[in-house]
Amino acid sequence: MNRKGQFAASVSVILSVVAGQSAAASEAEGAAVETVVVSGSILRNKSSVAGSIFEISSQDLARLRPISVADVLQQVPGVQVVSEDLFGLKVNISVRGLTPRRSARTLLLEDGMPIQPAPYSEPSAHYVPPFERIERIEVLKGSGEILYGPQSLGGMINFITKAAPDRTGGQLDVALGTRNFSSAHLMLGTGNDQGGVRLDLLHKQSDGTRDGHSTRFSDFALKSVVKLSESQTLTARFTHFVEDTDLTEAGLDAVRFARNPYTNPFANDHFDLTRSAIHLVHDAAWGQKFSLRTQVYAADTFRASYRQTDTSTDTMTANPDTGCIGSARTDYERFAARCGNKMRPRSFFFSGIESTLTASTKLFDHNLTTVIGARIHREDADRRRYNGLTADARETSAGTLLRDQNLIKTDAIATYLMATLSVGSVNISAGLRNEQIDTTNRSVTANFLPRDLTASSSQNLTLPGIGANWTVREGLEIFGGVHRGFAPPRPDRDVDPLLPANQVRAEESTNYELGVRASIQPATRIEATAFWLDFDELIVAGPLLGLASGTLVNAGKATHAGSELFVRHEWADGKLGAFRPWTSLSLTHLSKAEFGSDVGEGAARVRGNRIPYAPNWLGDLALGVETQSGFGATISVHYVGEQFADAKNTIAPSLDGTLGILPSYSLVNVGLSYQPPSKDFELYLSVHNLADKRYISTRTDGLFAGPPRQALMGIRRAF
């Protein structure tokens, strides 16, 4: 069955399952006494969670005037976002010092549904929902993570989309800005107390971060909520996302970067992404004691990157017959036509069904909340690599050859249990998660030669966690916990079926956390957390150890330790006349992020070295003011500390740009808005990187400069 057939079949299964669930719940209707509210949140009882929780509210999103989701997440303690493009499409999220590359070690969810192309076998993210559709964002770290998977190392981020309206109306939001920035967002919706439907249409484009880096994407989203009864709701969501950009994933060498950090010698590079997803959620409740949430989902993703040859020694592209030899391989501007290109078209499809039962009962006169659930998940990936004879060649061009093809199938069954016992002012939580993962990797073609070899692997892991939350007094909580963290190995193109299965072992850790939450009156909120991540197996990318591009390596033991602080204060209305100021501070100190053992044969000795892309300090300070007349202003300063680019902790920059220190930097962002009282329109201005700071965001595949100054002005009108 082809991918379109798989997607259609999944839709049919989804509708059948939900219909069956609705009928079963209707039979128990007589016992139901409360209305279920579907919000997309998966943290149902935040006060009992044994772990650090951070929520970015709709008010936060309105105040910050972000250009991308990356701008929003930078205020979360413990979270680093490495920016490669203006819109944050190539999202690189790191939690507590874990590798940021394509957010591969952070669990990303949209309304509780996985986001990554293939969460088990290809967690590299190229998509997050646009912030225009986001109502709020939940970030969970700590022992509560074991309810979610497969990634449970550093944290989980759940993007909660805006609800369907309860009346007929809409909103139009248009903006223009520097670097040929333009954005148009139309929302139409209708509804009543029985449900509603919401349609979002979004298109954005700009010249991007680098010269010749034109970026365009469109997002279509349809969301509907139906109240089936007083105890049941059904939420359906369909999204279709298309990116068509002249983006390059190749960095600059030192000479080119010094001349112009925003130059782009890879004029023929291109990136395409198409993603369609369907998500249905059925919620039912029986009284105040039992609730059941069932979600069924499917996503179909195609992504293709086309990269002209850069310093390639490949036997086809480094071709004497075309003259792609010697200096021609490094002079991209002059000799691109001679040196061909490399293509990476990849197709991914996943589907799953998950049910979670929450029961509130008594144990020896103490409240006991039990969460028990299971998920069945299936992934199919078709990873291909082609080489072309010209810089703008495509898969069907004359002379193009298939270099590699791997067909990867993953079947995963996850079961989990979490019990929380409330004894006075203390909530004690204990849980288990079991992951059964079966993967086959069929190597159809390798190094231009047919091989048709298959390797299979099977893993079964049980991940325990325990934590506690103590309410010392009203407004003061102490929390802590320990849990086993896990991330599955990636069976990508470089896993050779001729070698033993599981040559890259799963990433595992024991994670400790202790923190305090305090509210001083309603105006001040403080959360401070200390954490320790003790890795038995850390997986790092081969190039960080001087190995081949595309490889993954078990780096053995490692330790991440540090502390996080978040403080927010809001002055009450009337305290300062017509002005209502507010301020927030987020600090992360990653005091330790180092290798605890040496890596295997062929790699440098790295024990005791700092882990790459793990800055010692992260900080974000925001100041804002709102007035009774409708004016609002925000200024924020974001700081990222010094980082190493490789496991050897090389200080001196290399000529190819991949090695050397990444200096610390600070960025200033500004937002202004005006919304007259009782009016249905708003004017806004947003400036990212106000000082036009030039800084190195990453050295992966060469030097990348972070986005330059971007200003935009827009109007939002409700109707």
Side-chain angles (χ1 to χ4, degrees):
M1 184 182 294
N2 61 26
R3 290 165 57 236
K4 290 184 178 179
Q6 286 181 310
F7 194 77
S10 295
V11 172
S12 299
V13 172
I14 284 172
L15 296 175
S16 300
V17 170
V18 174
Q21 173 111 357
S22 299
S26 296
E27 294 177 1
E29 183 65 31
V33 297
E34 67 175 24
T35 300
V36 177
V37 178
V38 178
S39 65
S41 173
I42 56 177
L43 302 179
R44 295 305 179 90
N45 187 6
K46 297 180 176 63
S47 63
S48 65
V49 175
S52 59
I53 303 170
F54 193 93
E55 184 172 79
I56 300 172
S57 67
S58 58
Q59 184 183 49
D60 295 329
L61 289 167
R63 285 173 168 176
L64 291 171
R65 306 292 161 197
I67 293 178
S68 74
V69 169
D71 298 335
V72 178
L73 292 175
Q74 287 173 344
Q75 69 163 310
V76 182
V79 173
Q80 177 191 7
V81 183
V82 179
S83 297
E84 289 184 32
D85 65 283
L86 178 67
F87 294 130
L89 299 175
K90 302 295 160 275
V91 59
N92 299 288
I93 300 172
S94 167
V95 178
R96 293 179 172 174
L98 298 179
T99 177
R101 183 66 175 171
R102 300 292 182 258
S103 310
R105 287 298 176 259
T106 303
L107 179 63
L108 302 180
L109 305 173
E110 181 176 357
D111 291 337
M113 172 185 169
I115 283 179
Q116 277 107 330
Y120 285 85
S121 61
E122 181 62 78
S124 296
H126 291 274
Y127 161 87
V128 292
F131 72 85
E132 287 85 356
R133 289 200 285 111
I134 296 173
E135 177 69 24
R136 64 188 192 278
I137 303 172
E138 297 171 328
V139 182
L140 172 64
K141 295 165 282 186
S143 60
E145 275 191 84
I146 65 169
L147 288 176
Y148 316 102
Q151 314 284 345
S152 59
L153 292 169
M156 176 275 292
I157 300 176
N158 183 33
F159 299 94
I160 302 170
T161 59
K162 293 178 179 178
D166 58 3
R167 61 180 180 83
T168 299
Q171 179 177 279
L172 178 63
D173 186 343
V174 294
L176 297 173
T178 57
R179 300 183 64 81
N180 288 321
F181 176 97
S182 64
S183 172
H185 174 222
L186 174 66
M187 186 281 288
L188 300 172
T190 186
N192 53 36
D193 58 359
Q194 296 301 308
V197 62
R198 175 190 181 100
L199 171 66
D200 286 271
L201 300 172
L202 173 68
H203 179 78
K204 283 188 175 183
Q205 62 185 47
S206 84
D207 286 346
T209 298
R210 294 162 66 175
D211 300 336
H213 205 195
S214 178
T215 302
R216 302 162 296 278
F217 76 86
S218 299
D219 182 72
F220 169 93
L222 184 65
K223 185 174 184 178
S224 176
V225 178
V226 179
K227 184 178 179 181
L228 301 174
S229 68
E230 288 301 311
S231 67
Q232 299 181 76
T233 56
L234 175 65
T235 303
R237 180 170 54 84
F238 173 78
T239 59
H240 184 68
F241 181 91
V242 177
E243 177 189 351
D244 174 24
T245 71
D246 296 326
L247 180 144
T248 178
E249 296 186 275
L252 300 175
D253 59 28
V255 173
R256 287 180 175 86
F257 190 87
R259 186 187 306 135
N260 177 5
Y262 304 115
T263 193
N264 180 17
F266 309 102
N268 296 284
D269 283 14
H270 196 80
F271 186 89
D272 292 321
L273 174 72
T274 302
R275 181 184 188 271
S276 298
I278 187 169
H279 186 204
L280 273 76
V281 180
H282 180 262
D283 279 273
W286 294 268
Q288 298 183 359
K289 292 185 177 181
F290 299 96
S291 64
L292 179 66
R293 180 181 196 266
T294 297
Q295 66 167 338
V296 190
Y297 56 82
D300 184 22
T301 303
F302 173 77
R303 55 135 295 185
S305 61
Y306 301 95
R307 296 175 55 172
Q308 68 185 59
T309 300
D310 54 338
T311 68
S312 175
T313 57
D314 190 290
T315 54
M316 180 178 175
T317 53
N319 191 342
D321 293 337
T322 63
C324 185
I325 56 176
S327 61
R329 293 189 295 104
T330 58
D331 194 344
Y332 321 133
E333 295 93 339
R334 294 177 57 198
F335 297 103
R338 295 187 185 180
C339 294
N341 75 349
K342 298 180 180 181
M343 306 161 232
R344 294 175 173 85
R346 299 170 185 174
S347 301
F348 305 96
F349 177 83
F350 70 77
S351 59
I353 178 171
E354 179 175 20
S355 281
T356 304
L357 175 68
T358 302
S360 299
T361 55
K362 292 282 188 179
L363 180 65
F364 305 118
D365 294 326
H366 298 294
N367 291 329
L368 176 66
T369 301
T370 305
V371 179
I372 183 170
R375 181 182 68 193
I376 301 174
H377 179 93
R378 172 69 185 268
E379 297 175 2
D380 290 280
D382 184 349
R383 297 174 56 102
R384 303 188 187 200
R385 295 178 68 192
Y386 293 85
N387 280 12
L389 290 176
T390 61
D392 57 355
R394 293 296 182 262
E395 294 91 325
T396 57
S397 299
T400 293
L401 294 179
L402 176 63
R403 186 185 190 280
D404 302 290
Q405 181 182 14
N406 284 69
L407 302 177
I408 302 167
K409 297 183 181 296
T410 302
D411 290 290
I413 298 176
T415 55
Y416 47 88
L417 169 68
M418 177 77 78
T420 301
L421 182 67
S422 299
V423 181
S425 60
V426 178
N427 294 317
I428 303 171
S429 300
L432 287 173
R433 182 180 188 87
N434 181 266
E435 290 273 2
Q436 173 64 45
I437 308 167
D438 297 300
T439 301
T440 61
N441 178 15
R442 179 187 171 199
S443 178
V444 179
T445 302
N447 292 318
F448 306 106
L449 299 175
R451 63 191 310 177
D452 201 17
L453 297 172
T454 300
S456 299
S457 65
S458 181
Q459 303 175 73
N460 187 284
L461 295 98
T462 299
L463 309 168
I466 187 169
N469 187 311
W470 175 30
T471 303
V472 180
R473 55 177 173 78
E474 185 177 357
L476 179 62
E477 299 177 24
I478 297 175
F479 60 88
V482 57
H483 77 280
R484 286 290 288 174
F486 166 74
R490 286 174 52 185
D492 63 13
R493 67 178 192 269
D494 300 296
V495 176
D496 190 338
L498 291 176
L499 298 177
N502 278 338
Q503 69 172 44
V504 179
R505 299 176 297 278
E507 198 163 20
E508 297 184 61
S509 65
T510 303
N511 303 340
Y512 305 87
E513 186 180 63
L514 179 64
V516 58
R517 280 188 287 263
S519 297
I520 304 173
Q521 299 179 344
T524 305
R525 172 193 162 199
I526 302 173
E527 180 169 316
T529 309
F531 60 88
W532 183 285
L533 280 59
D534 190 10
F535 285 87
D536 302 320
E537 282 287 358
L538 180 72
I539 298 176
V540 298
L544 300 180
L545 298 164
L547 302 178
S549 176
T551 58
L552 296 165
V553 180
N554 286 102
K557 294 184 178 298
T559 301
H560 291 234
S563 56
E564 302 163 352
L565 173 67
F566 181 79
V567 180
R568 171 177 288 160
H569 180 76
E570 303 208 17
W571 281 261
D573 288 333
K575 287 287 186 180
L576 295 175
F579 296 94
R580 187 171 184 265
W582 60 272
T583 183
S584 67
L585 172 67
S586 172
L587 280 177
T588 303
H589 179 39
L590 191 59
S591 58
K592 187 175 185 179
E594 67 179 40
F595 295 101
S597 58
D598 291 315
V599 189
E601 183 179 355
R605 300 299 179 185
V606 297
R607 182 182 299 176
N609 285 3
R610 185 85 178 181
I611 290 173
Y613 296 101
N616 195 269
W617 285 96
L618 293 170
D620 192 90
L621 173 65
L623 304 171
V625 64
E626 298 164 349
T627 70
Q628 294 177 356
S629 59
F631 284 99
T634 301
I635 182 169
S636 63
V637 181
H638 183 68
Y639 173 80
V640 177
E642 188 177 80
Q643 306 167 70
F644 290 108
D646 70 319
K648 294 181 181 179
N649 292 177
T650 304
I651 295 176
S654 62
L655 290 177
D656 67 1
T658 61
L659 303 178
I661 287 285
L662 282 77
S664 62
Y665 61 89
S666 297
L667 301 177
V668 178
N669 302 325
V670 173
L672 301 172
S673 65
Y674 174 60
Q675 183 174 15
S678 304
K679 299 295 182 180
D680 55 6
F681 77 90
E682 179 185 18
L683 299 173
Y684 60 90
L685 170 71
S686 182
V687 184
H688 175 91
N689 191 3
L690 178 66
D692 201 21
K693 175 77 172 180
R694 297 191 173 191
Y695 63 98
I696 302 172
S697 64
T698 178
R699 288 180 176 271
T700 303
D701 289 333
L703 286 156
F704 281 81
R709 178 170 53 221
Q710 175 66 56
L712 62 93
M713 179 178 290
I715 181 170
R716 185 178 295 113
R717 175 68 186 268
F719 54 87

